Amino acid sequence: MTKEQILKFCKEHNVRFVNFQFCDLLGTVKSVTTPVSKLKESLENNIWFDGSSIEGFARIYESDMYLKPDLDTFALVPWESNGDSAVARIICDVFLPDGNPFDGDPRQILKKQIKRAQKMGFDNYFVGPELEFFLFKTDEDGAPALITHDRASYFDYAMDKAGPIRQAMSEVVSQMGIDVESIHHEVAESQHEIAFKYSDAITQADAVITVKTALKAVARQWGLHATFMPKPIAGINGSGMHVHQSLFKNNKNAFYDEKNTKYKLSKTALQFIAGQLSNIHEIVAVTNPLINSYKRLVPGYEAPVYVAWGQTNRSALIRVPIFLKGQSQATRCELRCPDSSSNPYLAFATMLAIGLDGIEKKMTPPESIEENIYEFTDKKAQRMRVRTLPDSLPEALKKFEGSKIALDVFGEQTHAKYLQAKQAEADKYRLHVSDWEVDEYLGIY
């Protein structure tokens, strides 16, 4: 939409306020709201704000920044709108006073990696995330409680109480311009998944942020709480964000090769997969950024902890989905470790970076594995050179800290700020005395 079209739309739909949104380094949505009477001025002159107050942004002596609206992201906010008045939102890029993009803006970090791919001859990086989440009941004060909303299981119908809620979620998300492909009950009680149409990484990162916000808003309308916490309940499956990926060149899928009899993957695809397998340890602190993320990444709950790849093997880190004959454009690889607590701009940027590293270095992936790796003995896994992902955030942060790839993606200042924020989180957890420790040790020792 043009500025004129947006102004006309706002007048016709009685829009009263517009939220100018952006993300901090940890993926939290931030917003500056202006009344519609100031919208024309904001669209023409941008919106100034204090960047020193935002996690991972500027230092106090370089705090002035401004938001530059991406007009393509304009949308009504259904849960803040009614018949009498409406609220809209626009996602923004963060700029410095000199007119240059702010290097620490997560959206800008992803754009830089896309430009890198384009310099290598690729049109764009396409992704299709699948977001898993839980719906929990709330207490009398409206606070979330660990009480499941239903007892249904995977694709269940008879026991599923959330059908109307998921339909409402799908409608709201669609109203905001996101093409929902499916939304269904997942494996665990009260666990669900939403997937939307494959698109370029910037569009999809915007969509992830929008969907998470929208689903929480709809859940509140039903007296429930939607959470993307990776492992809220011990002993059952956690929630991930599997991401399907492909590179396109000359409007054709660069991952497809008819001549390759195994999986129909091109040399580019194999090199991309090799890069992700080789470098995944360096970026898992980004794709799985919470202490709680590593409670999900354990064997036995369909979480991919083994650094391997295959097609029918869902215990592997990377899976190559089967596609029907004549659907070569659908060729892709699915990275299965990320979860929805990650900042999607940073997750997609680092995922792309390690894949491109494999292409640049002409890496060759190890042999694919179609066996259930969960059943491997330690000796067999060692013989087949199957590594595991880091089993804690501190371990993942050590890899991130020493990673040249992560440093190149983030830039020196933002890399240090992300590391500092996540190390503080890890230290806070390390100092915490849990209920389990008290129950286990107080009476004995």
Side-chain angles (χ1 to χ4, degrees), residues 24-249:
D24 70 8
L25 199 57
L26 302 183
T28 305
V29 178
K30 303 293 182 179
S31 180
V32 177
T33 303
T34 65
V36 75
S37 61
K38 300 293 183 183
L39 178 58
K40 183 177 180 181
E41 180 182 340
S42 297
L43 293 178
E44 291 177 351
N45 301 319
N46 305 307
I47 303 94
W48 290 83
F49 75 104
D50 179 7
S52 66
S53 302
I54 306 300
E55 180 68 57
F57 274 28
R59 293 162 289 196
I60 194 69
Y61 56 83
E62 53 183 26
S63 58
D64 287 337
M65 295 182 173
Y66 67 85
L67 301 175
K68 186 175 182 179
D70 181 343
L71 303 187
D72 289 338
T73 66
F74 176 86
L76 289 181
V77 182
W79 59 92
E80 294 186 24
S81 304
N82 54 49
D84 298 325
S85 64
V87 175
R89 77 93 208 267
I90 305 177
I91 297 175
C92 304
D93 293 300
V94 183
F95 278 73
L96 297 172
D98 62 7
N100 289 315
F102 172 50
D103 288 340
D105 176 14
R107 210 165 184 257
Q108 178 63 25
I109 288 172
L110 175 54
K111 286 184 175 182
K112 282 187 174 181
Q113 289 306 306
I114 293 171
K115 288 179 182 177
R116 176 187 168 198
Q118 290 170 344
K119 287 180 180 178
M120 294 172 63
F122 299 105
D123 300 336
N124 218 323
Y125 173 53
F126 283 78
V127 296
E130 300 170 348
L131 278 66
E132 295 173 339
F133 61 98
F134 279 88
L135 287 176
F136 290 127
K137 295 182 179 180
T138 57
D139 64 18
E140 57 186 15
D141 296 322
L146 283 179
I147 304 172
T148 55
H149 175 250
D150 64 40
R151 296 186 178 277
S153 58
Y154 202 38
F155 294 128
D156 206 344
Y157 181 77
M159 300 291 289
D160 183 9
K161 295 181 180 179
I165 302 173
R166 291 196 304 271
Q167 291 168 14
M169 289 175 167
S170 180
E171 288 174 1
V172 165
V173 169
S174 297
Q175 288 171 27
M176 299 192 74
I178 297 169
D179 190 352
V180 177
E181 291 198 327
S182 67
I183 183 166
H184 62 82
H185 204 290
E186 259 292 341
V187 175
E189 294 180 4
S190 281
Q191 188 184 35
H192 310 271
E193 177 183 292
I194 183 170
F196 30 96
K197 189 176 180 180
Y198 212 55
S199 187
D200 67 276
I202 289 290
T203 298
Q204 294 297 66
D206 291 343
V208 169
I209 293 296
T210 300
V211 167
K212 288 170 65 176
T213 305
L215 267 52
K216 285 179 175 291
V218 173
R220 283 195 297 270
Q221 293 175 343
W222 288 76
L224 300 171
H225 175 70
T227 180
F228 296 88
M229 180 179 175
K231 188 83 168 185
I233 302 177
I236 65 174
N237 288 40
S239 294
M241 182 180 72
H242 303 164
V243 183
H244 298 256
Q245 316 165 85
S246 61
L247 289 168
F248 273 62
K249 179 179 283 189

Side-chain angles (χ1 to χ4, degrees), residues 407-425:
L407 184 62
D408 289 343
V409 171
F410 279 69
E412 186 174 348
Q413 181 177 324
T414 308
H415 182 268
K417 285 184 176 292
Y418 186 85
L419 186 63
Q420 182 183 26
K422 294 284 84 180
Q423 284 178 334
E425 181 180 335

Side-chain angles (χ1 to χ4, degrees), residues 317-329:
L317 179 71
I318 295 177
R319 187 176 73 91
V320 180
I322 298 171
F323 60 90
L324 299 176
K325 187 175 181 181
Q327 293 184 333
S328 60
Q329 294 288 75

Side-chain angles (χ1 to χ4, degrees), residues 366-367 369 371 375-387:
E367 285 295 316
I369 298 175
E371 303 173 66
E375 298 176 356
F376 280 16
T377 63
D378 291 341
K379 286 185 177 180
K380 185 173 182 179
Q382 189 175 11
R383 186 174 69 252
M384 298 187 73
R385 298 181 180 179
V386 176
R387 300 175 297 156

Side-chain angles (χ1 to χ4, degrees), residues 340-358:
S340 301
S341 70
S342 62
N343 182 325
Y345 301 102
L346 300 181
F348 297 162
T350 51
M351 288 161 51
L352 175 57
I354 61 174
L356 294 178
D357 186 64

